[in-house]
Amino acid sequence: MPRISLPRTTRTHKIAATVLVAVGASTALAATTESSSAQIPAHAAASVKPVSANGLPAKDAPKKDTPKKAAAKPAKKNEKDDKAAKAAKTKAAKAKAAKTKAAAVKKSAAKHKAAAPVHYKNNLDGWIKESLAIMKAKHIPGTYEGLHRNIMRESSGNPNAVNNWDINARNGIPSKGLLQVIQPTFDTYHVSGTAYKLTDPVANLTAAANYAAHRYGSIDNVNSAY
């Protein structure tokens, strides 16, 4: 067989080979390091707890109020405001009820007072005042002065006075009472609520005032025999 001649390895060749081996080792080491770094979880660094200057774990920072706890304070305040508003409303309602009750009591007292019977004296002053009260209720005009003035002229205040000498007496129907009223006139102008008796003082005055109101406008307008 023919002999094969190998090329001669020179010093330059040896140096180049050494460099290639070194470069390959560096590349392999870098690749290994990169692969190892990629396998470490990204959050590994975050799990490392901080340490203090003496090497011990640092204390946790104080926790802040959570939004839930912070929101509880205004709710408590609103509850307090609601209670105050409810109390004020209750107080106002009680005051209104008390005021209404007081008004009702006052009205009831006034009604009973108004309904209470008035006692008049059994004399000329009492008869005139009682007659005036009835006249007012029946819308019959007249005053104390008008009644008193005509009474003094007609009977001098005597409820049993009888006229036996005038034309009425001659006709058989004499004038009688405080205002000298004849029976037919009394019967026509008698006012309900008074006694049906010609010589009754109040009935006589009220009937005479009613007659005078129809004929003269008021007993106050009568100044002579009527």
Side-chain angles (χ1 to χ4, degrees), residues 93-167:
K94 288 182 178 180
K96 185 177 180 181
K99 187 176 181 181
T100 302
K101 185 177 180 180
V105 171
K106 186 177 180 181
K107 185 177 180 180
S108 179
K111 184 178 180 180
H112 285 298
K113 184 178 180 180
V118 180
H119 297 285
Y120 299 97
K121 293 181 179 180
N122 188 28
N123 56 24
L124 183 60
D125 178 71
W127 300 330
I128 294 174
K129 288 180 179 178
E130 185 174 356
S131 181
L132 285 171
I134 298 171
M135 289 165 60
K136 182 178 180 181
K138 301 295 183 177
H139 307 290
I140 300 171
T143 65
Y144 188 102
E145 187 277 332
L147 288 172
H148 188 271
R149 171 168 41 85
N150 283 284
I151 289 170
M152 291 297 101
R153 186 190 66 252
E154 295 293 333
S155 66
S156 299
N158 179 8
N160 296 312
V162 178
N163 186 326
N164 291 313
W165 56 266
D166 66 1
I167 187 64

Side-chain angles (χ1 to χ4, degrees), residues 173 181-192 194-199 203-204 206-208 210-211:
I173 46 173
V181 182
I182 59 175
Q183 192 66 50
T185 302
F186 179 82
D187 294 341
T188 302
Y189 294 98
H190 172 261
V191 177
S192 61
T194 64
Y196 203 90
K197 181 180 179 182
L198 180 57
T199 56
N204 186 279
T206 310
N210 190 26
Y211 163 73

Side-chain angles (χ1 to χ4, degrees), residues 13-157:
H13 291 154
K14 290 179 178 181
I15 293 171
T18 302
V19 171
L20 290 173
V21 172
V23 171
S26 299
T27 302
L29 180 60
T32 302
T33 302
E34 182 178 357
S35 175
S36 299
S37 299
Q39 294 176 0
I40 297 174
H43 65 290
S47 64
V48 178
K49 294 184 178 180
V51 296
S52 60
N54 57 10
L56 296 176
K59 294 182 178 180
D60 294 338
K63 296 182 180 180
K64 295 182 179 180
D65 290 341
T66 61
K68 186 176 181 180
K69 290 183 178 180
K73 293 180 180 179
K76 187 174 182 180
K77 184 178 180 182
N78 291 337
E79 183 179 353
K80 186 177 180 181
D81 292 342
D82 290 342
K83 288 182 178 180
K86 187 177 180 180
K89 187 176 181 180
T90 302
K91 185 177 180 181
K94 288 182 178 180
K96 185 177 180 181
K99 187 176 181 181
T100 302
K101 185 177 180 180
V105 171
K106 186 177 180 181
K107 185 177 180 180
S108 179
K111 184 178 180 180
H112 285 298
K113 184 178 180 180
V118 180
H119 297 285
Y120 299 97
K121 293 181 179 180
N122 188 28
N123 56 24
L124 183 60
D125 178 71
W127 300 330
I128 294 174
K129 288 180 179 178
E130 185 174 356
S131 181
L132 285 171
I134 298 171
M135 289 165 60
K136 182 178 180 181
K138 301 295 183 177
H139 307 290
I140 300 171
T143 65
Y144 188 102
E145 187 277 332
L147 288 172
H148 188 271
R149 171 168 41 85
N150 283 284
I151 289 170
M152 291 297 101
R153 186 190 66 252
E154 295 293 333
S155 66
S156 299

